[in-house]
Amino acid sequence: MPVSKHQFNLEPSIDFDTVANKKQQYEVNVLCSELKLKLKVMAGGDNKKAEKKPKANVSGGGKKKEVKKETGLGLSFKKDENFGEWYSEVVVSGEMIEYYDISGCYIIRPWAMSIWEIMQTFFDAEIKKMKIKNCYFPLFVSPGVLEKEKDHIEGFAPEVAWVTKSGQSDLEVPIAIRPTSETVMYPYYSKWIRGHRDLPLKLNQWCNVVRWEFSNPTPFIRSREFLWQEGHTAFATKSEADTEVLDILELYRRIYEEFMAVPVIKGKKSELEKFAGGLYTTTVEAFVPNTGRGIQGATSHCLGQNFSNMFDITFENEKGEKAKAWQNSWAYTTRTIGVMVMVHGDDKGLVLPPKVASVQVIVIPVPYKDADTQGIFDACNATVETLSEAGIGAEADFRDNYSPGWKYSHWEMKGVPLRIEIGPKDLANNQVRAVRRDSGAKIDLPRASLVEQVKEILYKIQESLFEAAKQRRDACIQTVKTWDEFVEALGQRKMILAPWCDEVEVEKDVKARTKGEMGAAKSLCSPMEQPEIPEGTICFASGKPAKKWTYWGRSY
Amino acid sequence: MPVSKHQFNLEPSIDFDTVANKKQQYEVNVLCSELKLKLKVMAGGDNKKAEKKPKANVSGGGKKKEVKKETGLGLSFKKDENFGEWYSEVVVSGEMIEYYDISGCYIIRPWAMSIWEIMQTFFDAEIKKMKIKNCYFPLFVSPGVLEKEKDHIEGFAPEVAWVTKSGQSDLEVPIAIRPTSETVMYPYYSKWIRGHRDLPLKLNQWCNVVRWEFSNPTPFIRSREFLWQEGHTAFATKSEADTEVLDILELYRRIYEEFMAVPVIKGKKSELEKFAGGLYTTTVEAFVPNTGRGIQGATSHCLGQNFSNMFDITFENEKGEKAKAWQNSWAYTTRTIGVMVMVHGDDKGLVLPPKVASVQVIVIPVPYKDADTQGIFDACNATVETLSEAGIGAEADFRDNYSPGWKYSHWEMKGVPLRIEIGPKDLANNQVRAVRRDSGAKIDLPRASLVEQVKEILYKIQESLFEAAKQRRDACIQTVKTWDEFVEALGQRKMILAPWCDEVEVEKDVKARTKGEMGAAKSLCSPMEQPEIPEGTICFASGKPAKKWTYWGRSY
């Protein structure tokens, strides 16, 4: 399926004129036509004027019967047929996201927020072990400071949002909203760091940042405001900085692979793709098979001494000499959640890996006419209690205005890893029926060994989600050696591993030669684990001697 | 000591013109002259152009000898003599705050952030028990929505910061930065709430908000950006809403009294002082004896049905009738930290209650010439290990470029509740010397019973900080019955309990009649625990029959 570059551009925008100013007028017509489609799809879910009462919408959960008939619970789009629409619909119907009346901004609902909190708890504890401390720097940056590092500001300037008024008064000087906090923080690093004993200085903050982007706003993946952590550290030596870059990258890998069950490739970004103003950028790179696009999962940058030069972050070393600090910065964002949805979701909705699901098991009573309804309800309550006591996130859905079938669909839409059904037969046999969200497999579990078996199943779900995702990802990886092979693989939307000469001009050339309606190819990363490069191997694009293996493809 | 209204207004501002626009030009001259004083005080700590390297500053911690001589570690101002300067200095020297180059914005350093995190952990767990869920709504609000509730926007409009540009382009419509999120959230409450089964809807978010205030910017207490939680809940009935208002207020009381060791009075705000657009506001009210000012600690509002009317938050009740939701909102902010500093701090610096101190015990080796230095260091390490294993926050300060005396002062400045010194004599006697930060009391502790005794001492410190603060606060409370008594007590900077007729016009009149350079008096709260009002009691201000006892005074 060809996937339009504009498929995510579907929410109403209040600033088309500004978009036009950004020389993207050509996209506006596409946007408008797709907007109409979208509004039709939303079936009355009025996203543009949220202050008006919508009549009904596609988000199933918690809605009453008159709003959402059982037959209307499914998704309107299929993942393999219209991925962009499917994604928009699944994050809304799964109650992760609500579209907001300002384009590119999204409401993160509790169902998604709980995932963010689980990862936060993990990551925050890990960095505290590394003696990194949390702090909070202001949202606002004055222009002089923001513009201090030239390469850096070139990278961010077009996306900076400016505050120019308070109340009815104009500010004397416009104030920027942080797109990232290097320039916010480093003037103070300069102040705080005097001698080698002040190093390392290792700070982190959990906050919101704003990048007023105009291309492809997509929930989680690309939004104008997003949540992240940003770590900013300073060291006396490059080797300490290098070590930390990789320690953090490993935590990012764990977030994706151990929590999100999403396989990633650890690698290094090219000169063209590295962080603006930094020395080198490492990345965990994910891949979305349905769109054939790579996606930068999280990045850990060594800034070298570029910022310490600009911001005069110097210290007296042990020999009494002046030296510049070596700096890192690293961040991961709410994008992680979007990648997870894209990789695991299916035509029934979200599929949550057990490790990030706040509700891991949903217990649903299946009463029959003339059956012992109270007994069934009691068994459901007891099941929830038993599982909760064992540390498993379990809830029961006792709502009396929905049928069991509706509830199955509802909790499948929300991606709960395991469903437990309890009906008269289960009650009689002192068992429960467990149904896996990922595979649909049904297993009868004796209530006596419930906890151990549920734990085992959740563990298996986590594992097999990762394995399945890895198989799908690996099936998309293609090794090429020539330009023709490269073009062919790109046409098949592969993640392409190719020998490369590692020259900036050649990457620019690859971009220029692959420009098209689906977007140009670029380097994704050079994997840390490099396959051997036999003597005489040449670059797929330039014919010069190849220096490294690099992944290429289209990307988000 | 008379305390100037402007004493907190001391940081350089980049927008004096805007201040002038706000008709506060008269304050600017005062600001400027005090600014010069401040800059002198900062002894080269260049707060205005933070990107320039300052030569030295008053913040003691982590600075090298050439910057900070031992003799220079103390505070320049005394709490009882110049409270405003003392406060500014103590939050900087205690390494809680760094002044930022945008006026009214402050950097929250790890020492303060860890306090915020401790309270966050407590409060977040408590509201989760109440089945309140976390979410995240956007930072930005479109003007139409912001202005929907008239009383509400009147309260906030002058302080709203507006984004009008992105990159080089003007936005078609200016976008506001949330000063609070009622109007951000409630359009979606309208969408999500359909039937009685959708209620209660109970959400909370941890975030930053911006109020571009011009009066008295003060770290923690009044800043243009601050961190808070904001809870927003909707119920089917008023009685559920009423109950939650008080449940939350009790959590706020616990934050102040159990964690911050700051006594507060639970009460209800007057009509004039309640939340803009709400039905009624409850508050925990603290008091700063040194300035004789009350300070609103945290507020829990019942919004009634005002917002549900404006935003059409209706539901079908069990009888099938349309009804409006009853709503609450409630918040506490980083102000809590400032109140704690003001109440407990002394001329040596911060005094942290053990429950919010990330470092509860600082262990300092006191080596003598010819003594067993390694033995002392080992004993320090063992002490930290023993205490840490028992869950006590303990660290040792082994820095070799500072004397023990310097370290004592340094950690006193940072307010660590308990210091443990280990010297040759302690080593010989298998004991440690413990010194309380609050009282200066010294106690020798046998190492055999270290954990139990340290726990006991920390418990006592927490308790006696609260008791001492309560005694100081209570000594400032004065009950009056007549206007003359009221004026006299106000002159003595008391927190005044007076019988009141509870009429808006009378409060306005009290404000008008007490206007002066120190600021007018206003009602602080009517305490939940009302003393009896004998028959025939008249209002201190109007002479009309009194309806309730109310606290009055100047306030932050």
Side-chain angles (χ1 to χ4, degrees), chain A residues 402-418:
Chain A
Y402 294 109
S403 71
W406 189 96
K407 291 177 185 175
Y408 298 168
S409 301
H410 172 72
W411 294 103
E412 280 172 355
M413 180 73 82
K414 289 176 73 92
V416 171
L418 194 67

PDB file of all heavy atoms in Angstrom, chain A residues 402-418:
ATOM      1  N   TYR A 402     -23.716  -2.818  29.518  1.00  0.00           N
ATOM      2  CA  TYR A 402     -22.997  -3.365  28.368  1.00  0.00           C
ATOM      3  C   TYR A 402     -23.019  -4.882  28.424  1.00  0.00           C
ATOM      4  O   TYR A 402     -22.916  -5.471  29.503  1.00  0.00           O
ATOM      5  CB  TYR A 402     -21.543  -2.896  28.341  1.00  0.00           C
ATOM      6  CG  TYR A 402     -21.385  -1.412  28.118  1.00  0.00           C
ATOM      7  CD1 TYR A 402     -20.958  -0.585  29.146  1.00  0.00           C
ATOM      8  CD2 TYR A 402     -21.668  -0.857  26.874  1.00  0.00           C
ATOM      9  CE1 TYR A 402     -20.812   0.785  28.939  1.00  0.00           C
ATOM     10  CE2 TYR A 402     -21.534   0.507  26.661  1.00  0.00           C
ATOM     11  CZ  TYR A 402     -21.110   1.321  27.692  1.00  0.00           C
ATOM     12  OH  TYR A 402     -20.974   2.655  27.495  1.00  0.00           O
ATOM     13  N   SER A 403     -23.098  -5.490  27.267  1.00  0.00           N
ATOM     14  CA  SER A 403     -23.038  -6.953  27.197  1.00  0.00           C
ATOM     15  C   SER A 403     -21.591  -7.403  27.333  1.00  0.00           C
ATOM     16  O   SER A 403     -20.665  -6.622  27.093  1.00  0.00           O
ATOM     17  CB  SER A 403     -23.580  -7.419  25.847  1.00  0.00           C
ATOM     18  OG  SER A 403     -22.651  -7.060  24.840  1.00  0.00           O
ATOM     19  N   PRO A 404     -21.380  -8.678  27.699  1.00  0.00           N
ATOM     20  CA  PRO A 404     -20.002  -9.195  27.720  1.00  0.00           C
ATOM     21  C   PRO A 404     -19.302  -8.980  26.378  1.00  0.00           C
ATOM     22  O   PRO A 404     -18.142  -8.570  26.340  1.00  0.00           O
ATOM     23  CB  PRO A 404     -20.183 -10.679  28.030  1.00  0.00           C
ATOM     24  CG  PRO A 404     -21.448 -10.740  28.819  1.00  0.00           C
ATOM     25  CD  PRO A 404     -22.330  -9.685  28.214  1.00  0.00           C
ATOM     26  N   GLY A 405     -19.999  -9.197  25.277  1.00  0.00           N
ATOM     27  CA  GLY A 405     -19.374  -9.054  23.961  1.00  0.00           C
ATOM     28  C   GLY A 405     -18.880  -7.629  23.727  1.00  0.00           C
ATOM     29  O   GLY A 405     -17.782  -7.402  23.202  1.00  0.00           O
ATOM     30  N   TRP A 406     -19.689  -6.673  24.116  1.00  0.00           N
ATOM     31  CA  TRP A 406     -19.282  -5.276  23.974  1.00  0.00           C
ATOM     32  C   TRP A 406     -18.025  -5.019  24.796  1.00  0.00           C
ATOM     33  O   TRP A 406     -17.092  -4.366  24.348  1.00  0.00           O
ATOM     34  CB  TRP A 406     -20.424  -4.357  24.435  1.00  0.00           C
ATOM     35  CG  TRP A 406     -20.162  -2.911  24.116  1.00  0.00           C
ATOM     36  CD1 TRP A 406     -20.601  -2.226  23.022  1.00  0.00           C
ATOM     37  CD2 TRP A 406     -19.381  -1.990  24.896  1.00  0.00           C
ATOM     38  NE1 TRP A 406     -20.150  -0.933  23.071  1.00  0.00           N
ATOM     39  CE2 TRP A 406     -19.396  -0.747  24.202  1.00  0.00           C
ATOM     40  CE3 TRP A 406     -18.673  -2.072  26.092  1.00  0.00           C
ATOM     41  CZ2 TRP A 406     -18.733   0.385  24.681  1.00  0.00           C
ATOM     42  CZ3 TRP A 406     -18.012  -0.956  26.569  1.00  0.00           C
ATOM     43  CH2 TRP A 406     -18.041   0.266  25.865  1.00  0.00           C
ATOM     44  N   LYS A 407     -18.029  -5.571  26.009  1.00  0.00           N
ATOM     45  CA  LYS A 407     -16.866  -5.364  26.888  1.00  0.00           C
ATOM     46  C   LYS A 407     -15.607  -5.993  26.304  1.00  0.00           C
ATOM     47  O   LYS A 407     -14.517  -5.423  26.395  1.00  0.00           O
ATOM     48  CB  LYS A 407     -17.155  -5.936  28.279  1.00  0.00           C
ATOM     49  CG  LYS A 407     -18.220  -5.167  29.055  1.00  0.00           C
ATOM     50  CD  LYS A 407     -18.499  -5.837  30.410  1.00  0.00           C
ATOM     51  CE  LYS A 407     -19.642  -5.138  31.124  1.00  0.00           C
ATOM     52  NZ  LYS A 407     -20.011  -5.824  32.382  1.00  0.00           N
ATOM     53  N   TYR A 408     -15.751  -7.182  25.708  1.00  0.00           N
ATOM     54  CA  TYR A 408     -14.582  -7.805  25.075  1.00  0.00           C
ATOM     55  C   TYR A 408     -13.972  -6.835  24.069  1.00  0.00           C
ATOM     56  O   TYR A 408     -12.770  -6.567  24.071  1.00  0.00           O
ATOM     57  CB  TYR A 408     -14.960  -9.102  24.347  1.00  0.00           C
ATOM     58  CG  TYR A 408     -15.520 -10.220  25.207  1.00  0.00           C
ATOM     59  CD1 TYR A 408     -16.120 -11.334  24.616  1.00  0.00           C
ATOM     60  CD2 TYR A 408     -15.457 -10.162  26.600  1.00  0.00           C
ATOM     61  CE1 TYR A 408     -16.641 -12.363  25.382  1.00  0.00           C
ATOM     62  CE2 TYR A 408     -15.989 -11.191  27.370  1.00  0.00           C
ATOM     63  CZ  TYR A 408     -16.581 -12.281  26.762  1.00  0.00           C
ATOM     64  OH  TYR A 408     -17.100 -13.284  27.510  1.00  0.00           O
ATOM     65  N   SER A 409     -14.849  -6.327  23.206  1.00  0.00           N
ATOM     66  CA  SER A 409     -14.362  -5.420  22.150  1.00  0.00           C
ATOM     67  C   SER A 409     -13.753  -4.155  22.752  1.00  0.00           C
ATOM     68  O   SER A 409     -12.727  -3.658  22.285  1.00  0.00           O
ATOM     69  CB  SER A 409     -15.512  -5.019  21.222  1.00  0.00           C
ATOM     70  OG  SER A 409     -16.078  -6.158  20.638  1.00  0.00           O
ATOM     71  N   HIS A 410     -14.422  -3.635  23.772  1.00  0.00           N
ATOM     72  CA  HIS A 410     -13.953  -2.394  24.387  1.00  0.00           C
ATOM     73  C   HIS A 410     -12.541  -2.551  24.946  1.00  0.00           C
ATOM     74  O   HIS A 410     -11.662  -1.722  24.703  1.00  0.00           O
ATOM     75  CB  HIS A 410     -14.927  -1.989  25.499  1.00  0.00           C
ATOM     76  CG  HIS A 410     -14.462  -0.841  26.330  1.00  0.00           C
ATOM     77  ND1 HIS A 410     -14.431   0.445  25.852  1.00  0.00           N
ATOM     78  CD2 HIS A 410     -14.008  -0.778  27.613  1.00  0.00           C
ATOM     79  CE1 HIS A 410     -13.974   1.246  26.798  1.00  0.00           C
ATOM     80  NE2 HIS A 410     -13.705   0.538  27.873  1.00  0.00           N
ATOM     81  N   TRP A 411     -12.319  -3.632  25.683  1.00  0.00           N
ATOM     82  CA  TRP A 411     -11.004  -3.799  26.319  1.00  0.00           C
ATOM     83  C   TRP A 411      -9.944  -4.281  25.334  1.00  0.00           C
ATOM     84  O   TRP A 411      -8.747  -4.081  25.545  1.00  0.00           O
ATOM     85  CB  TRP A 411     -11.114  -4.712  27.551  1.00  0.00           C
ATOM     86  CG  TRP A 411     -11.937  -4.047  28.619  1.00  0.00           C
ATOM     87  CD1 TRP A 411     -13.232  -4.312  28.952  1.00  0.00           C
ATOM     88  CD2 TRP A 411     -11.521  -2.956  29.459  1.00  0.00           C
ATOM     89  NE1 TRP A 411     -13.662  -3.470  29.947  1.00  0.00           N
ATOM     90  CE2 TRP A 411     -12.628  -2.626  30.286  1.00  0.00           C
ATOM     91  CE3 TRP A 411     -10.342  -2.218  29.595  1.00  0.00           C
ATOM     92  CZ2 TRP A 411     -12.586  -1.604  31.232  1.00  0.00           C
ATOM     93  CZ3 TRP A 411     -10.286  -1.199  30.539  1.00  0.00           C
ATOM     94  CH2 TRP A 411     -11.401  -0.903  31.338  1.00  0.00           C
ATOM     95  N   GLU A 412     -10.419  -4.923  24.250  1.00  0.00           N
ATOM     96  CA  GLU A 412      -9.486  -5.208  23.156  1.00  0.00           C
ATOM     97  C   GLU A 412      -9.043  -3.909  22.496  1.00  0.00           C
ATOM     98  O   GLU A 412      -7.853  -3.720  22.197  1.00  0.00           O
ATOM     99  CB  GLU A 412     -10.142  -6.134  22.123  1.00  0.00           C
ATOM    100  CG  GLU A 412     -10.126  -7.593  22.558  1.00  0.00           C
ATOM    101  CD  GLU A 412     -10.946  -8.508  21.659  1.00  0.00           C
ATOM    102  OE1 GLU A 412     -11.613  -8.012  20.730  1.00  0.00           O
ATOM    103  OE2 GLU A 412     -10.924  -9.731  21.897  1.00  0.00           O
ATOM    104  N   MET A 413      -9.986  -3.011  22.293  1.00  0.00           N
ATOM    105  CA  MET A 413      -9.648  -1.697  21.717  1.00  0.00           C
ATOM    106  C   MET A 413      -8.606  -0.991  22.573  1.00  0.00           C
ATOM    107  O   MET A 413      -7.698  -0.343  22.062  1.00  0.00           O
ATOM    108  CB  MET A 413     -10.923  -0.847  21.639  1.00  0.00           C
ATOM    109  CG  MET A 413     -10.729   0.530  21.056  1.00  0.00           C
ATOM    110  SD  MET A 413     -10.449   0.471  19.283  1.00  0.00           S
ATOM    111  CE  MET A 413     -12.147   0.341  18.695  1.00  0.00           C
ATOM    112  N   LYS A 414      -8.740  -1.124  23.881  1.00  0.00           N
ATOM    113  CA  LYS A 414      -7.800  -0.456  24.783  1.00  0.00           C
ATOM    114  C   LYS A 414      -6.507  -1.255  24.983  1.00  0.00           C
ATOM    115  O   LYS A 414      -5.587  -0.798  25.656  1.00  0.00           O
ATOM    116  CB  LYS A 414      -8.481  -0.166  26.128  1.00  0.00           C
ATOM    117  CG  LYS A 414      -9.535   0.939  26.006  1.00  0.00           C
ATOM    118  CD  LYS A 414     -10.290   1.178  27.299  1.00  0.00           C
ATOM    119  CE  LYS A 414      -9.460   1.887  28.332  1.00  0.00           C
ATOM    120  NZ  LYS A 414      -9.593   3.352  28.316  1.00  0.00           N
ATOM    121  N   GLY A 415      -6.457  -2.450  24.427  1.00  0.00           N
ATOM    122  CA  GLY A 415      -5.197  -3.186  24.369  1.00  0.00           C
ATOM    123  C   GLY A 415      -4.802  -3.938  25.622  1.00  0.00           C
ATOM    124  O   GLY A 415      -3.633  -4.322  25.766  1.00  0.00           O
ATOM    125  N   VAL A 416      -5.762  -4.186  26.538  1.00  0.00           N
ATOM    126  CA  VAL A 416      -5.414  -4.893  27.773  1.00  0.00           C
ATOM    127  C   VAL A 416      -4.862  -6.287  27.434  1.00  0.00           C
ATOM    128  O   VAL A 416      -5.493  -7.045  26.702  1.00  0.00           O
ATOM    129  CB  VAL A 416      -6.647  -5.001  28.699  1.00  0.00           C
ATOM    130  CG1 VAL A 416      -6.376  -5.920  29.873  1.00  0.00           C
ATOM    131  CG2 VAL A 416      -7.037  -3.607  29.173  1.00  0.00           C
ATOM    132  N   PRO A 417      -3.686  -6.635  27.962  1.00  0.00           N
ATOM    133  CA  PRO A 417      -2.988  -7.853  27.523  1.00  0.00           C
ATOM    134  C   PRO A 417      -3.774  -9.147  27.729  1.00  0.00           C
ATOM    135  O   PRO A 417      -3.715 -10.038  26.893  1.00  0.00           O
ATOM    136  CB  PRO A 417      -1.722  -7.865  28.389  1.00  0.00           C
ATOM    137  CG  PRO A 417      -1.497  -6.440  28.766  1.00  0.00           C
ATOM    138  CD  PRO A 417      -2.852  -5.820  28.862  1.00  0.00           C
ATOM    139  N   LEU A 418      -4.514  -9.239  28.844  1.00  0.00           N
ATOM    140  CA  LEU A 418      -5.190 -10.510  29.124  1.00  0.00           C
ATOM    141  C   LEU A 418      -6.616 -10.261  29.619  1.00  0.00           C
ATOM    142  O   LEU A 418      -6.842  -9.422  30.483  1.00  0.00           O
ATOM    143  CB  LEU A 418      -4.405 -11.294  30.185  1.00  0.00           C
ATOM    144  CG  LEU A 418      -4.801 -12.766  30.347  1.00  0.00           C
ATOM    145  CD1 LEU A 418      -4.448 -13.573  29.102  1.00  0.00           C
ATOM    146  CD2 LEU A 418      -4.119 -13.366  31.578  1.00  0.00           C
TER     147      LEU A 418
END
